[in-house]
Amino acid sequence: MNTTTRTTGRTTQEWQAADAAHFLHPFTDFQSLAKKGARIITRAENIYLWDSDGRRILDAMSGLWCVNVGYGQRALIDAATRQLEQLPFYNAFFQTATPPAIELAELLAEVAPPGFQHVFFTGSGSEGNDTIVRMVRRYWDLLGQPQRQVIVSRRNAYHGSTMAGASLGGMEGMHAQGGLPIPGIVHIGQPYWHEHHDAPPGPGQLEAFGIEAARWLEDKIAELGAENVAAFIGEPVQGAGGVIIPPASYWPEIERICRRHGILIVSDEVICGFGRTGRWFGCETMGFAPDLMTFAKGVTSGYVPLGGVLVGERVAKVLIERGGEFAHGYTYSGHPVACAVGVANLRLIRELGLVGHVHDDVGPYLAATWRELARHPLVGSAETCGLMGALRLVRDQASGEPFPAEVEIGMVCRGHCFREGLIMRAVGDRMIVAPPLVITRAQIDEMAALVTRCLDLTLADARREGWLR
Ligand SMILES: *Cc1c(COP(=O)(O)O)cnc(C)c1O
């Protein structure tokens, strides 16, 4: 029996029928999925996936921004297997611990920027951000400032899908379902130039815009009263929002504003962490020093679920020294199998030198590739940060005029990507990639050829349908 039949066992149509009958997918229109049928992914290796029809697909999204070391890494598989055999589960409540959780906490403190010596484990990024909300409020309570409750985030941010995660996030479609945001969470605008301008920025304009966007925080603090503001949270680079890379001036100005008002800074590193931006953490690339960092996804390269919060000394000191019990935790906080995979993953990232590989080699190579793609007539702007890239599709390259929203140009392009064997994500008019960090230059060339082909097919559609200027 070959691997494909062993792992699938049924025909594609059979899988799709059972899927539609029973499986409610996340972020999915159930009826339209049932009509089309899900694509069934059955195996993977390196940066490639195979579906149940045996078609090979280049995964330019690393699963869901998480498979940093690529698929099929023996060290991670062995670490999970060994730990499953030795001790598949024990909790970290009631003054107990397991070696993998201790080792991972120690290793995270090693790779984190200076001042991060403590870790709180969760099962996911969303739970990490729920932990953030409870932890920063607890911090201010312990300091005798219980009125410091409000957490400021940004519109079009993504911080997860639990009640607190979705509230911290700035996705209107999510807030519209279920009475969100929860109290004490407010949003300012995102540092996205093209939300305000069609044409690309002229000399100096982007830096000025970065300062302006950071000052929206200062305005919000003035409105709320600094004495009521607990923390500011942001992704160094917004991922799910469409790979929104802030101007270099933005984060240092945010940091200055927070420091002036004593407000905690939370860096949501769920996507940016573990080498994605060419440093271990995105805050290092963006040039700021947070007090707390949420992590998940790349910590295990997605092989098993794990998340958590890296707690800087300012907060850790108060929690520990003034503490008493922090009444918070999850059954799977410090899950030994997940942590064993995390340890193997971080060691492998080190051994393979993946952070340097992104910083010095494939990151710059992706940037150069993207500069080439910027010449394609559909592309209005092309941006990268480390191994994240975005192409903004426009109706008219000269003016940067966007397509009318009802054209759904990103979805048109994404449809071609699906058919051509490329996983690239569409966020409105932005086509984005975040491939595994193990990608090579030759594989970036292969990805770029597929992207070009899909852009050509999308352009042909636009011509035929009369969508262009
Ligand atoms: C994916 C993501 C989350 C949520 O993580 P889950 O593991 O899906 O709960 C939080 N923050 C950011 C920035 C993310 O990209």
Side-chain angles (χ1 to χ4, degrees), residues 358-443:
V358 174
H359 188 272
D360 302 329
D361 188 357
V362 287
Y365 194 73
L366 179 70
T369 305
W370 243 230
R371 281 193 292 277
E372 284 298 309
L373 285 173
R375 289 159 42 176
H376 192 280
L378 266 190
V379 177
S381 55
E383 295 131 25
T384 68
C385 176
L387 273 186
M388 284 190 266
L391 301 170
R392 177 170 170 264
L393 306 189
V394 295
R395 187 180 201 186
D396 178 50
Q397 201 172 38
S399 65
E401 183 190 341
F403 283 95
E406 60 274 15
V407 166
E408 297 199 331
I409 195 70
M411 296 310 277
V412 174
C413 185
R414 198 189 71 167
H416 288 300
C417 295
F418 251 70
R419 288 182 287 273
E420 297 300 316
L422 170 69
I423 302 239
M424 194 179 189
R425 185 154 156 183
V427 182
D429 53 13
R430 294 172 76 77
M431 297 304 298
I432 62 181
V433 296
L437 310 188
V438 291
I439 198 169
T440 63
R441 289 181 177 220
Q443 289 172 326

Side-chain angles (χ1 to χ4, degrees), residues 298-379:
V299 66
T300 55
S301 286
Y303 280 44
V304 288
L306 179 68
V309 175
L310 271 152
V311 185
E313 282 320 283
R314 174 177 166 191
V315 175
K317 205 168 150 41
V318 171
L319 283 181
I320 294 165
E321 288 175 11
R322 306 205 181 198
E325 178 177 320
F326 180 38
H328 177 74
Y330 304 100
T331 301
Y332 300 137
S333 289
H335 192 290
V337 178
C339 289
V341 173
V343 169
N345 179 58
L346 297 192
R347 286 195 181 137
L348 186 64
I349 291 175
R350 269 189 176 162
E351 258 167 55
L352 298 177
L354 286 183
V355 181
H357 177 65
V358 174
H359 188 272
D360 302 329
D361 188 357
V362 287
Y365 194 73
L366 179 70
T369 305
W370 243 230
R371 281 193 292 277
E372 284 298 309
L373 285 173
R375 289 159 42 176
H376 192 280
L378 266 190
V379 177

Side-chain angles (χ1 to χ4, degrees), residues 177-245:
Q177 298 179 3
L180 302 180
I182 57 173
I185 293 172
V186 300
H187 298 82
I188 60 171
Q190 59 175 334
Y192 179 35
W193 172 267
H194 284 297
E195 192 177 31
H196 307 276
H197 311 270
D198 282 349
Q205 283 188 321
L206 201 58
E207 295 320 292
F209 173 69
I211 300 290
E212 183 192 333
R215 300 264 163 91
W216 299 333
L217 173 59
E218 192 130 57
D219 296 344
K220 184 56 81 178
I221 293 169
E223 182 191 316
L224 295 162
E227 71 284 4
N228 299 314
V229 182
F232 174 78
I233 184 169
E235 305 152 78
V237 174
Q238 287 156 258
V243 182
I244 312 289
I245 304 162

